[in-house]
Amino acid sequence: AGEKVTIPQLFSQLKLCGEDGEHERGIKIANKILESAPEDADAFQCKAVSLIQLGQFKEAISLINSNAALGKCMNVEKAYCHYRSHQLKEALETLNSGTSGDGNAEKELHAQILYRMEQYKESYGVYEGLLRNCEDDYNDEREANMVAMGALAVSSSGGMGMEDSREDTYELCYNKACRFLAHGRTTEAEFLLRKGQDLCRESVLEDDPDASTEDMEDEMALSRVQLAYCAQLQGKLSEAVEVYNNVMRSRPSDAALAAVAANNIVTIHRDKDVFDSRKKIKVAAAEGLEQKLTLNQRRAIAFNRCLFCLYTNQSDNLRSAVATLQKQYPSDLPCLLQAAQLQREKKSTKSFQLLQDYATEHPNSAMRVQLSLAQIQLSQGNLADAVVTLRAIQALRHRLALVCTLVTLHTEAGDV
């Protein structure tokens, strides 16, 4: 029989496994240590980290939960496992239940969890605090993330101004450009995106002088799609479609990016190039993208699928798509789509009644439906009814445009 390996020797082997990335072997060695010393915290932690490195997050959570005494010091690792498993609520609860929540690792993870939960302003605040209090090599990345959170906060709910941020890295330029786009400032956004691409080329070539054109293009695919979006907003539709298609043909490593490009092409095509749009819809709605797209992006893709069915007179597909839209992203949009389809089917009375019923049942959340009703009433010459409908829109009650419109209608009707 061979000489028995001592625990110190096993730890030496375990250390080498960690250095060499041999995590499966590391788990086996950690198990041997834990057989002899079940309460050894170092072996326990090494096993958990090895499971995480192998992407075995469920198993890592089970291990940490199996020993309350040893697991209580691994809240960050456990929260990370929940985060990587898309269990965001559990990740946040785990992180908040820890006793050492002031470290940078906890805060970085906290910011990322808030980002995935689409609580962009809160995530922005965490990154802002990290930037104030950290002096290490990761502040460029933190600042880029903070600017990105600011852009996402504006695009999702508005209410955040433009902060002064540096423009000396590709990521900072890209994220600040997104912030400009959220404010509708396409010229400044385009300038920053092109500046960012120059910085990206320099950075890639500095890291790898032999980098291929394909590698370079993949690295810049994100900014190329945003440049196409700039062109789209500026009415340069042919240019935008060409860039979107070029990005898709290059097969970017980010499937979510291809989905966004495909969706934007469909919005430009409208009822033209139906065959191409049908292919693009499949790319945009491919399975497995739910965790890679924001809520706004997923909702826009679902809505545009409905519009495509409407424009191409696919009645049955439209009904199915609208039902899915209503179930996943409830709002007044499904009602408007149904009303539009009824109009196409020459069922104007049913269409009007549908809008009227929805406005009556949802008086505080039917602004677009109420505006559509008022437009129909005005087209029919029913000024008094249109005034009643417009005055019922609480969200616009004190907006200058609505007040001016009401004054004009009252004047037109002689009701002054």
Side-chain angles (χ1 to χ4, degrees), residues 138-159:
Y138 299 102
N139 272 347
D140 280 356
E141 184 177 342
R142 291 186 187 112
E143 186 173 355
N145 287 341
M146 185 184 77
V147 177
M149 293 307 103
L152 287 166
V154 171
S155 63
S156 64
S157 60

Side-chain angles (χ1 to χ4, degrees), residues 327-392:
K327 180 180 178 181
Q328 296 179 346
Y329 315 103
S331 72
D332 56 356
L333 289 176
C335 176
L336 290 170
L337 289 161
Q338 290 170 325
Q341 180 62 20
L342 288 169
Q343 284 285 358
R344 281 182 172 247
E345 295 171 354
K346 310 298 183 186
K347 299 175 182 177
S348 301
T349 303
K350 278 190 174 182
S351 175
F352 185 82
Q353 190 61 50
L354 176 69
L355 295 171
Q356 210 163 37
D357 291 345
Y358 188 93
T360 302
E361 293 169 11
H362 306 84
N364 298 319
S365 59
M367 181 181 70
R368 286 172 293 207
V369 169
Q370 290 166 310
L371 288 171
S372 298
L373 271 173
Q375 184 178 18
I376 294 170
Q377 288 162 336
L378 287 172
S379 69
Q380 295 171 344
N382 298 327
L383 300 189
D385 290 343
V387 167
V388 171
T389 300
L390 290 171
R391 288 175 68 88

Side-chain angles (χ1 to χ4, degrees), residues 13-271:
Q13 294 176 20
L14 187 57
K15 183 174 181 291
L16 287 173
C17 287
E19 292 172 351
D20 296 339
E22 296 181 8
H23 302 298
E24 290 183 356
R25 183 165 176 263
I27 291 171
K28 293 176 181 177
I29 295 172
N31 283 336
K32 289 181 181 179
I33 297 173
L34 290 169
E35 285 175 9
S36 301
E39 298 302 311
D40 191 293
D42 291 331
F44 184 85
Q45 291 176 12
C46 285
K47 181 179 178 180
V49 170
S50 293
L51 287 168
I52 292 170
Q53 291 290 344
L54 291 169
Q56 297 178 22
F57 305 115
K58 183 179 178 181
E59 292 79 359
I61 292 171
S62 296
L63 174 66
I64 294 169
N65 287 340
S66 70
N67 190 317
L70 298 180
K72 68 180 181 180
C73 298
M74 301 195 71
N75 265 30
V76 176
E77 290 82 357
K78 182 179 174 182
Y80 178 76
C81 289
H82 282 303
Y83 164 73
R84 289 296 306 273
S85 303
H86 310 300
Q87 299 166 343
L88 301 179
K89 182 181 177 183
E90 292 85 348
L92 193 58
E93 289 174 351
T94 301
L95 202 60
N96 289 338
S97 68
T99 56
S100 57
D102 293 330
N104 290 347
E106 290 92 333
K107 290 177 181 177
E108 301 275 5
L109 180 56
H110 188 200
Q112 280 297 304
I113 293 169
L114 291 171
Y115 158 60
R116 287 295 178 190
M117 295 178 80
E118 303 193 14
Q119 297 179 21
Y120 302 125
K121 290 183 181 180
E122 292 81 358
S123 180
Y124 179 97
V126 177
Y127 278 122
E128 194 173 34
L130 279 165
L131 276 170
R132 272 198 307 267
N133 299 310
C134 293
E135 293 183 7
D136 54 28
D137 296 332
Y138 299 102
N139 272 347
D140 280 356
E141 184 177 342
R142 291 186 187 112
E143 186 173 355
N145 287 341
M146 185 184 77
V147 177
M149 293 307 103
L152 287 166
V154 171
S155 63
S156 64
S157 60
M160 293 191 73
M162 292 289 293
E163 81 289 318
D164 291 326
S165 62
R166 295 180 295 117
E167 301 170 6
D168 54 1
T169 72
Y170 169 55
E171 292 80 9
L172 282 167
C173 283
Y174 174 82
N175 290 328
K176 190 170 183 178
C178 291
R179 192 76 176 267
F180 278 126
L181 277 175
H183 283 277
R185 294 162 62 176
T186 56
T187 303
E188 294 100 320
E190 182 179 358
F191 172 80
L192 276 177
L193 288 168
R194 296 195 186 282
K195 179 179 178 180
Q197 287 187 335
D198 291 338
L199 290 169
C200 181
R201 290 188 189 93
E202 292 174 9
S203 176
V204 170
L205 290 174
E206 185 178 326
D207 292 340
D208 181 9
D210 298 322
S212 67
T213 303
E214 290 77 14
D215 290 340
M216 194 87 72
E217 291 299 311
D218 189 60
E219 190 72 23
M220 294 190 297
L222 200 58
S223 64
R224 290 166 66 203
V225 166
Q226 286 294 59
L227 277 170
Y229 184 54
C230 281
Q232 184 176 348
L233 292 179
Q234 293 166 350
K236 304 171 185 176
L237 303 185
S238 298
E239 178 184 330
V241 169
E242 182 180 359
V243 176
Y244 286 138
N245 275 321
N246 285 341
V247 170
M248 292 190 69
R249 276 194 289 269
S250 69
R251 298 184 180 279
S253 56
D254 186 352
L257 187 63
V260 170
N263 174 71
N264 290 357
I265 290 172
V266 173
T267 65
I268 294 173
H269 282 342
R270 294 174 66 89
D271 56 349

